[in-house]
Amino acid sequence: MKAKTLKQNKINIITLGCSKNLVDSEVLSGQLAANAIPVVHENNKIDHNIVVVNTCGFIDKAKEESIDTILNQIELKRRGKLDKVYVTGCLSERYRNDLEKEIPEVDAWFGTMELPLILKELGADYKSELLGERLLSTPKHYAYLKISEGCNRTCAFCAIPLMRGAHVSKPIEAIVAEAEALVKKGVKEIMLIAQELTYYGLDLYKKRSLHNLLEKLADVQGLEWIRLHYAYPNKFPLEVLKVMRERDNICKYLDMPLQHASNNMLKAMRRNSTREEMSALIKTIRQKVPGICLRTTLIAGFPGETEADVEELKSFLEEHRFDRVGIFTYSHEENTSAYRLEDNIPAEVKQQRAQEIMEVQQEISLEKNMEKVGKVFKVIIDKKEAGRFIGRTEFDSVEVDNEVIISTNKKLSIGQFVNVRITKAYDYDIEGELVDE
């Protein structure tokens, strides 16, 4: 009688939500690969037999997407296409007990900080010496670099501390070593991410230390762009601006979510900042780093928001003319302090307000893009689509910001830097031609 050969497992990781989740998936992939377990990311061919869904639990839409994805994978399992379905990430951390009852077909649920347990379930050993090692799921010329976990803030609308815990900074040496390892793999741009960059170091070094970290990262040979995401405005460490101004490989780009501009709303949201303080900070940032690109995100429809609050937010946008703006409609999240308030603004009104705010920003964005026409910018090539190359300037981050469209017969490489003269401007993108170097 022939012995039955055991087929080796192949694992597909599906990542939902933010770039912080993406990094977690890359770390899990790196650990599995080091255990000689075949692993893929967002695999469309079903030639794997195990799926790990890394979920988001931030707002209603993200939760719905996570649930839908889990149910789709369960259906594949029911049809015999998969052997196992595992779930990890923020949704699992936040609602595990309920989900275990509602979707018993999932083989196991894991929280956000249970990497060793997932690996054990998948037949792998957690290798602590691989700290910082990842299998990148991004194109090889850029990567996200997480500098801390968790958040100590108590913003009324936000459930992240419930899912990610308190703020824990990674040591500077560990982050620099990870950056060096990424550069060796071909990474030219890193995007620093955290729930809050500007809190970095308070727990480890007893003082805000983002500027110290930036100085060390700027010394990494071969690292051409360093980009800052998610800087909180309250007690912003101004030393960061000096480093940004002095070091060429730190992008003149700052993503600083403000959420609103009306003092009534800022107080209700527990943002610990006033409109006046935010205005003063924006002026300081622009004065100390001339030409900086400021990105922010806003929330429309928080409980109690009035038409006057919306008008104030519009006037704030017109006053400060942000380069990039993203907007969310308010999502009423259990166990946040805002959950005790009545979610008294209908969904269609929230949507309408968000639309009105973005119309103000759309005009500003077009005007700012028109100002670029005729100027030359250093651009990194991200991809080729429909015969044209698509890239970004230092003032644009991946997926969320403007793109530069380049028509050329020259053969360009993905990840290559080129000089581009801007010839056309649109609301959110620009077109240009190569400038011979």
Side-chain angles (χ1 to χ4, degrees):
M1 196 173 153
K2 271 190 176 176
K4 193 176 177 184
T5 313
L6 285 174
K7 184 183 157 197
Q8 187 179 15
N9 289 329
K10 183 176 182 182
I11 296 164
N12 179 30
I13 300 174
I14 299 172
T15 306
L16 305 168
C18 67
S19 52
K20 293 175 277 294
N21 261 15
L22 189 69
V23 171
D24 291 344
S25 290
E26 290 175 347
V27 170
L28 173 58
S29 299
Q31 290 275 346
L32 289 168
N35 279 271
I37 296 174
V39 58
V40 285
H41 190 259
E42 306 280 359
N43 190 26
N44 290 323
K45 299 179 295 180
I46 307 181
D47 59 354
H48 49 270
N49 64 319
I50 295 175
V51 163
V52 177
V53 184
N54 190 356
T55 57
C56 179
F58 183 44
I59 56 175
D60 284 341
K61 280 183 184 170
K63 288 188 277 192
E64 283 167 24
E65 184 188 17
S66 292
I67 294 290
D68 287 346
T69 304
I70 295 166
L71 293 175
N72 288 341
Q73 299 307 308
I74 290 299
E75 175 60 17
L76 289 173
K77 180 184 166 187
R78 189 189 64 75
R79 285 163 39 200
K81 306 270 188 186
L82 295 172
D83 296 332
K84 302 270 186 183
V85 175
Y86 298 107
V87 180
T88 183
C90 292
L91 188 82
S92 184
E93 176 77 37
R94 196 171 169 197
Y95 299 108
R96 185 183 331 201
N97 292 343
D98 294 336
L99 290 167
E100 280 176 343
K101 291 173 196 156
E102 288 174 26
I103 317 177
E105 299 89 345
V106 168
D107 293 277
W109 302 82
F110 300 94
T112 53
M113 308 300 283
E114 295 183 326
L115 177 63
L117 293 180
I118 303 177
L119 290 167
K120 188 179 177 186
E121 178 69 30
L122 295 170
D125 294 323
Y126 174 64
K127 298 179 185 292
S128 56
E129 70 274 13
L130 289 179
L131 220 56
E133 278 292 313
R134 295 146 54 184
L135 275 189
L136 291 183
S137 53
T138 54
K140 70 174 188 179
H141 61 284
Y142 66 79
Y144 296 97
L145 184 51
K146 198 192 292 192
I147 67 169
S148 64
E149 271 292 356
C151 186
N152 286 7
R153 298 286 177 188
T154 55
C155 301
F157 53 81
C158 187
I160 286 172
L162 303 172
M163 300 180 283
R164 291 276 174 181
H167 180 100
V168 180
S169 301
K170 276 192 203 171
I172 288 176
E173 303 75 32
I175 297 169
V176 170
E178 191 171 343
E180 288 170 342
L182 289 168
V183 169
K184 278 180 188 161
K185 290 179 179 176
V187 169
K188 296 178 181 179
E189 173 185 13
I190 61 169
M191 288 157 277
L192 299 188
I193 56 171
Q195 304 305 338
E196 182 193 343
L197 283 185
T198 42
Y199 202 86
Y200 177 79
L202 262 177
D203 53 328
L204 269 184
Y205 308 113
K206 309 307 171 204
K207 60 176 185 175
R208 292 174 187 262
S209 308
L210 182 58
H211 63 291
N212 301 118
L213 172 63
L214 287 174
E215 282 172 345
K216 292 284 193 293
L217 285 173
D219 287 337
V220 173
Q221 292 298 307
L223 187 50
E224 298 217 30
W225 279 357
I226 300 164
R227 189 179 299 284
L228 275 63
H229 278 279
Y230 319 127
Y232 192 88
N234 182 249
K235 296 184 179 174
F236 183 92
L238 296 175
E239 303 92 337
V240 165
L241 303 176
K242 181 173 184 288
V243 185
M244 188 181 276
R245 189 175 65 241
E246 292 174 353
R247 306 302 289 263
D248 287 342
N249 59 348
I250 300 176
C251 295
K252 290 184 171 61
Y253 176 98
L254 188 64
D255 179 3
M256 188 166 64
L258 299 179
Q259 312 305 2
H260 217 286
S262 146
N263 282 335
N264 292 336
M265 287 293 94
L266 292 167
K267 187 176 180 184
M269 289 178 173
R270 298 189 176 182
R271 290 293 289 168
N272 297 317
S273 288
T274 62
R275 173 176 176 160
E276 295 72 25
E277 287 166 344
M278 294 191 313
S279 290
L281 175 60
I282 291 163
K283 284 170 186 163
T284 299
I285 291 170
R286 284 186 165 147
Q287 177 196 341
K288 290 188 180 293
V289 188
I292 192 170
C293 170
L294 285 180
R295 173 173 227 286
T296 194
T297 44
L298 306 166
I299 295 174
F302 187 85
E305 183 186 60
T306 63
E307 291 293 344
D309 293 322
V310 176
E311 290 306 312
E312 190 169 347
L313 180 48
K314 288 188 206 168
S315 76
F316 183 79
L317 288 181
E318 283 164 348
E319 177 188 356
H320 291 293
R321 296 177 63 78
F322 289 90
D323 301 84
R324 315 278 180 259
V325 172
I327 190 153
F328 294 94
T329 53
Y330 170 74
S331 178
H332 208 44
E333 296 298 315
E334 303 97 324
N335 300 319
T336 60
S337 61
Y339 197 65
R340 296 195 295 269
L341 305 172
E342 185 191 349
D343 186 13
N344 60 350
I345 297 167
E348 60 273 18
V349 176
K350 290 177 187 176
Q351 203 57 54
Q352 176 59 34
R353 289 178 181 179
Q355 182 66 30
E356 283 176 33
I357 292 159
M358 280 314 292
E359 280 168 11
V360 172
Q361 180 57 30
Q362 190 172 356
E363 204 169 302
I364 294 167
S365 180
L366 176 59
E367 287 166 8
K368 282 184 168 271
N369 281 348
M370 296 284 285
E371 290 164 12
K372 294 184 173 75
V373 172
K375 294 178 181 172
V376 175
F377 294 90
K378 180 181 176 182
V379 170
I380 192 167
I381 302 297
D382 279 336
K383 56 193 172 186
K384 188 176 184 183
E385 279 180 1
R388 302 191 298 178
F389 289 97
I390 312 290
R392 289 173 293 113
T393 68
E394 73 172 288
F395 309 112
D396 301 288
S397 196
V398 174
E399 292 181 353
V400 293
D401 291 331
N402 291 6
E403 292 179 326
V404 183
I405 302 154
I406 308 155
S407 296
T408 179
N409 294 324
K410 281 195 176 177
K411 194 170 188 297
L412 302 180
S413 307
I414 305 304
Q416 181 181 347
F417 284 96
V418 292
N419 289 322
V420 176
R421 180 178 286 106
I422 305 308
T423 55
K424 281 186 191 171
Y426 305 99
D427 292 344
Y428 296 115
D429 293 319
I430 47 183
E431 280 191 36
E433 58 192 18
L434 289 184
V435 175
D436 290 330
E437 292 161 25

